[in-house]
Amino acid sequence: MRGKPVNRLSTQGLLLLVFCCIWLRPLALSGQNADPAPNILIITVDNIGYGDLSPFNPNSAIITPNLNRLASQGARLTNFYTASPTCTASRATMLTGRIPQRNKLDKQLVGLEGNYGIGLPHSEIILPQVVKKSPHGYATAAFGKWNIGFAPGSRPTERGFDEFLGIASGNADHFTHVYAGRKDLYHNTNAINRHGQYSTDLFADAAIDFIREKSSGNTPWMVYLPFDAPHHPGDRNIEPGEANIWKAPDHAFEPYDFSPEETDPGKRFQAVVTAIDMAVGRLMVHLEELGVADNTFVFFYSDNGAFYPYLDIQSNAPFRGAGVTLWEGGIHVPAIARWPGKIKANSTIATRLWSPDIFVGVAALTAAEMPQDRFIDGKNFLPVLTGQTIHSPHAALYFAYQSQQALIWGDYKIIREKPEDSWMLFNLREDPSESRDLAGGSPDLVRKMEEPHRLIENEISSYLQREKKSLHIQARKK
């Protein structure tokens, strides 16, 4: 009599076990087969022109085998824009996903007062703060040029990055790390001295150490690696009597037929860029050795175009203009995306994208929730990068810097250097160098282009007024 209930329970238990095996096994297997969270590596370079790099200009004399390899392993983005033509604002747009007119950092931070001030308002949410909300538990770090404010509360480790090693300013000396007579190198919030270590190598090595540590613990990571090179040399950053020249480590001269004693500025500039290439190559080798290269999304781009005083040694070809202008040479920049198995190798993407899209794309990659309390100008560019669509997520791109204004819509661009000037009109597909102004013969098209520009300006003005009112109400409640 006592055995029957046991047999009955055993039968029920067996049925339950079979049920679980049949229905729950696929769920278990799907969890086992789920792709691990991708690592994120965002690399920026400082003031490199579209024509400086051979993946975009085969005639470039600069030796960059590692960047060439990166492009061959992923996609060249031939229609990528930075949302601002100057270093500070360009960085802020990428980190916030918002154009300068919304994030309120629309000018270059200069001097100690500017670089060590608040800079980007503390009310802005930047990319690592979003990534930190990912369910995957990302570690975050920044190594390189900050340049968006270094006052208390503005520093990288106070805005979502777990670790920072870099300069607060925009153009410290590459070997002494001095900016305007002040040591400018920091680890987290502490000033440090690494005199004699070349900044490109210093930042790359710090990134490698961080990546090695996190990868060995199977922790997904996001690294922001904004090199301060090849930014032109600054006379106020070097000791009295020292030559104001482009600086590179000796090993960066080895691929060339000239030595570190070379005085020609054009040749010295080439070595500075080659030093970046070597650092990127070393970083990619470590990703391979750690076994994480195939699961790492890499995005490389220049913050803005080369500046006018240096166009005799640099190149924004085939574009007109330079950094701090809204001509194509200032805002149309080289970009490369690599993600094996997701982004087609050795491909070219001609779809129009821009730097605020990085913010949204990385949020999507990390499964992090986007901020819901503000307007984000970026769009998710992953469908374009992974070949799901060839269509841009943007109908038009709006630009404003100082007195300059521009709007790109379809093949056409309107631009004026002062608000009181008449619009100029260019067909970028047929005339990427912006050499033939079509405005005089196409007044209707100019008016058609001017209308969305006016509407976007009005929308931004209205948005800022609502935001100001909302912040005022919140302040009163406190």
Side-chain angles (χ1 to χ4, degrees):
M1 293 292 294
R2 292 182 179 177
K4 291 182 179 178
V6 174
N7 290 338
R8 186 162 57 250
L9 289 173
S10 298
T11 302
Q12 291 172 347
L14 181 60
L15 290 172
L16 180 60
L17 179 61
V18 171
F19 175 85
C20 289
C21 288
I22 293 173
W23 291 99
L24 298 184
R25 184 173 182 271
L27 296 178
L29 289 176
S30 65
Q32 292 172 3
N33 294 334
D35 291 336
N39 303 305
I40 314 294
L41 176 58
I42 301 168
I43 305 172
T44 65
V45 286
D46 204 358
N47 303 351
I48 280 185
Y50 189 92
D52 283 330
L53 301 178
S54 55
F56 301 88
N57 176 15
N59 296 320
S60 174
I62 303 174
I63 298 174
T64 56
N66 296 295
L67 289 175
N68 295 355
R69 186 178 303 111
L70 188 71
S72 70
Q73 294 171 342
R76 295 181 312 123
L77 278 60
T78 58
N79 208 357
F80 188 81
Y81 287 80
T82 176
S84 179
T86 189
C87 302
T88 291
S90 171
R91 283 160 171 72
T93 60
M94 188 279 287
L95 287 169
T96 63
R98 286 151 58 88
I99 60 175
Q101 290 68 39
R102 289 193 214 276
N103 68 39
K104 305 175 192 66
L105 188 51
D106 60 356
K107 62 181 182 296
Q108 181 65 32
L109 294 180
V110 297
L112 295 175
E113 181 180 1
N115 282 286
Y116 285 84
I118 290 176
L120 184 70
H122 293 173
S123 58
E124 289 297 314
I125 296 172
I126 70 170
L127 187 56
Q129 294 169 312
V130 173
V131 171
K132 280 296 185 182
K133 295 181 179 180
S134 165
H136 300 296
Y138 276 81
T140 58
F143 304 106
K145 170 176 172 173
W146 188 237
N147 200 210
I148 60 170
F150 211 73
S154 296
R155 297 168 292 192
T157 52
E158 297 165 331
R159 305 200 73 159
F161 286 110
D162 298 324
E163 185 176 353
F164 170 71
L165 190 146
I167 59 173
S169 71
N171 60 339
D173 183 89
H174 294 321
F175 279 109
T176 67
H177 320 122
V178 167
Y179 174 72
R182 172 175 176 164
K183 285 286 187 180
D184 194 47
L185 188 66
Y186 292 83
H187 182 224
N188 298 333
T189 59
N190 299 315
I192 60 173
N193 189 343
R194 297 292 184 272
H195 188 99
Q197 289 185 252
Y198 192 65
S199 59
T200 296
D201 295 330
L202 181 64
F203 302 150
D205 289 344
I208 289 169
D209 290 343
F210 180 87
I211 290 169
R212 182 187 298 112
E213 176 189 346
K214 301 308 174 184
S215 295
S216 63
N218 294 319
T219 300
W221 46 264
M222 184 194 81
V223 167
Y224 171 44
L225 182 56
F227 289 116
D228 62 336
H231 192 288
H232 57 269
D235 186 61
R236 62 181 172 182
N237 302 335
I238 59 176
E239 295 180 6
E242 184 181 354
N244 184 24
I245 58 175
W246 299 86
K247 295 181 179 181
D250 288 354
H251 63 257
F253 290 85
E254 292 174 2
Y256 295 96
D257 59 358
F258 48 85
S259 74
E261 285 69 45
E262 176 63 55
T263 59
D264 181 84
K267 292 181 178 180
R268 297 193 65 86
F269 170 76
Q270 293 176 27
V272 175
V273 179
T274 295
I276 296 172
D277 180 80
M278 290 176 166
V280 171
R282 191 166 69 254
L283 179 55
M284 295 305 297
V285 166
H286 277 83
L287 294 186
E288 293 285 354
E289 292 177 347
L290 292 167
V292 298
D294 286 350
N295 191 43
T296 298
F297 173 83
V298 180
F299 198 89
F300 169 97
Y301 77 107
S302 180
D303 62 346
N304 47 253
F307 285 11
Y308 273 128
Y310 308 100
L311 291 188
D312 56 335
I313 62 175
Q314 289 190 252
S315 173
N316 291 323
F319 306 129
R320 173 181 179 178
V324 304
T325 80
L326 296 183
W327 297 105
E328 292 291 284
I331 55 177
H332 195 148
V333 295
I336 299 169
R338 178 191 187 273
W339 193 16
K342 308 292 193 305
I343 296 175
K344 185 179 178 181
N346 201 28
S347 61
T348 298
I349 295 176
T351 303
R352 186 171 294 128
L353 301 167
W354 69 345
S355 53
D357 297 338
I358 298 171
F359 182 94
V360 184
V362 169
L365 282 168
T366 60
E369 183 180 353
M370 290 275 292
Q372 301 298 313
D373 63 342
R374 61 200 62 210
F375 188 94
I376 303 295
D377 294 283
K379 305 293 182 185
N380 186 358
F381 62 2
L382 294 178
V384 174
L385 298 184
T386 57
Q388 298 174 52
T389 181
I390 61 171
H391 301 295
S392 174
H394 304 283
L397 297 182
Y398 166 92
F399 301 90
Y401 180 68
Q402 295 179 339
S403 63
Q404 306 165 73
Q405 300 170 313
L407 181 120
I408 299 174
W409 184 14
D411 292 336
Y412 291 92
K413 174 180 177 179
I414 53 171
I415 180 173
R416 58 188 179 191
E417 296 181 323
K418 298 178 182 178
E420 61 269 23
D421 290 348
S422 298
W423 287 107
M424 290 172 278
L425 172 70
F426 300 95
N427 184 319
L428 295 179
R429 180 172 56 83
E430 297 178 354
D431 179 28
S433 62
E434 296 171 291
S435 60
R436 299 188 297 276
D437 182 4
L438 306 176
S442 307
D444 291 342
L445 184 52
V446 172
R447 284 191 291 271
K448 181 181 178 71
M449 295 284 291
E450 186 178 25
E451 180 64 8
H453 181 273
R454 183 184 64 81
L455 292 174
I456 292 172
E457 281 201 323
N458 290 343
E459 181 274 321
I460 292 172
S461 177
S462 176
Y463 174 83
L464 293 177
Q465 290 176 10
R466 292 195 306 271
E467 185 181 65
K468 184 178 180 180
K469 183 178 180 180
S470 176
L471 291 173
H472 180 67
I473 293 173
Q474 293 176 21
R476 289 181 60 183
K477 289 180 179 179
K478 294 179 180 179

